[in-house]
Amino acid sequence: MTVRTGTRGRLGRGPQLAVWGLTRAVLMLCVLKVFTVPGPDVTSDVSVIYRGWYEVLRDGSYPLDDVTWQYPPAAALAVLSPDLLPFLGYATAFFVLALLCDALVFGLLLYASGRPGGRQAGVWLWVAGVPLLGPTVYARYDLMVTAVAVAGLLAGVRHPRVLGALAAFGTLLKVWPVLLLVGTAPGRDTRRSWSAAAVTGAVLAAAAALALPGAYAFLTFQRDRGLEIESLGALVFHVARQFGWEGAVELRYGSMEFAGPHVALVSTLMLALSVFAFGWLLVWRLRARAFEAHTPAEAAFTAVLLFTVTSRVISPQYMVWPLGVGAVCMVFRRSGMALPAFLVLLATGVTLLEFPLGFAHVVASDAQGVALMAARNGLLVAAVLSAGWRLWRTTVTGASKDRAAERVRPAGRADSPASAP
């Protein structure tokens, strides 16, 4: 019987391996420009911007004079990573490393899905979701960060300290992986993961500051960013342009941003929404009582969605964050995040339509551009509301009802342990 089960498991993985291999081959052909994708050249960030940062970092400093450098100090490792493949050109080496990180996530999810209580839905979410982002996903280092996050969440089921260490490393790569720690079970798991994160983060932060000057210049550059045209708040001005709003779209801080009347006000409101999101997570953390193996992943998924939706910037590559964390949720059979994960998958597909395929329409705020941004951001809003409600219901409301039922259950009931023969 064991042999049959193993054979059936191997056969069940065949379609996943085939689809993964086919879609990733297409992605590589796109970034290597064998196939040309309509719209802006998404590979220029690697071949021009990353390569420029690479040269500065090799000379012994962070890019202090470049306001487009808006990343924590460990991002230098991603920029320098093509040195691991010195026999390839810089851009080609970067794309190959992105492919390897994609393969790592695929392998981790595949392994987790085969364990007791696992399922293959998370594997399929990753297999289908990554190519929906198009070549952009291999032309940014966000996939590398997501690989660290996925590894941390899956390892954290049994090894909280590994989760903490990887969350700290990920935070110094691109900040958002700190959210992996929001859902750790109170008590020993939280103490171990949070203390490991604190120690790892302190050591890495100090090492970065000592290694190269300007490790934390990114804080100023990030603070000064405006309202990027793909963000939720920007939808206000896409619509306002139809009624004569006197603003414009400008290239600033490495992205297209709105500039003009009331932009600062909407940016402030988006920051206020981020503060509200933090407050909601804090209240949830204090009130949650039911923690299961999948709870840290579900909490991280909800938190990533909250701060993505309320951000002043929602670049296309950001979609790989909730996609990866959502895939971790979906490898747990008992997870209730199927609907928000599916909504994220749909939003990922719409993202490809708006960038790079329809980006000219988004910049122009014409009917097609407004429709694409309303659809993508509407799906993200629906996903975060659904995820937040499900997380609250399973860890707060459901737990409270279970405790109340225990208090009022009369002695001698057939379902009472005391009445069992």
Side-chain angles (χ1 to χ4, degrees), residues 228-252:
E228 192 254 350
I229 63 172
E230 295 165 278
S231 65
L232 178 63
L235 193 57
V236 173
F237 299 104
H238 283 297
V239 174
R241 292 178 87 180
Q242 316 307 310
F243 300 94
W245 178 68
E246 297 180 353
V249 173
E250 298 179 358
L251 177 61
R252 299 193 301 187

Side-chain angles (χ1 to χ4, degrees), residues 74-208:
L77 298 177
V79 175
L80 293 169
S81 63
D83 274 347
L84 295 172
L85 303 175
F87 49 88
L88 296 175
Y90 181 87
T92 302
F94 187 93
F95 302 145
V96 170
L97 291 171
L99 172 67
L100 293 176
C101 288
D102 182 1
L104 173 62
V105 174
F106 176 63
L108 289 172
L109 293 170
L110 203 62
Y111 175 77
S113 69
R115 303 190 65 170
R119 60 177 174 179
Q120 296 186 358
V123 183
W124 279 115
L125 183 68
W126 183 256
V127 169
V130 169
L132 285 181
L133 272 178
T136 304
V137 73
Y138 279 5
R140 307 289 188 273
Y141 84 93
D142 296 78
L143 197 151
M144 300 176 180
V145 184
T146 303
V148 173
V150 169
L153 283 172
L154 291 174
V157 175
R158 294 188 177 184
H159 306 287
R161 289 193 179 95
V162 177
L163 168 60
L166 290 177
F169 177 54
T171 300
L172 288 171
L173 279 171
K174 205 162 188 180
V175 181
W176 69 265
V178 70
L179 300 172
L180 304 181
L181 300 173
V182 72
T184 54
R188 184 177 63 179
D189 283 0
T190 291
R191 288 194 300 271
R192 289 181 173 181
S193 59
W194 290 21
S195 60
V199 172
T200 304
V203 170
L204 293 177

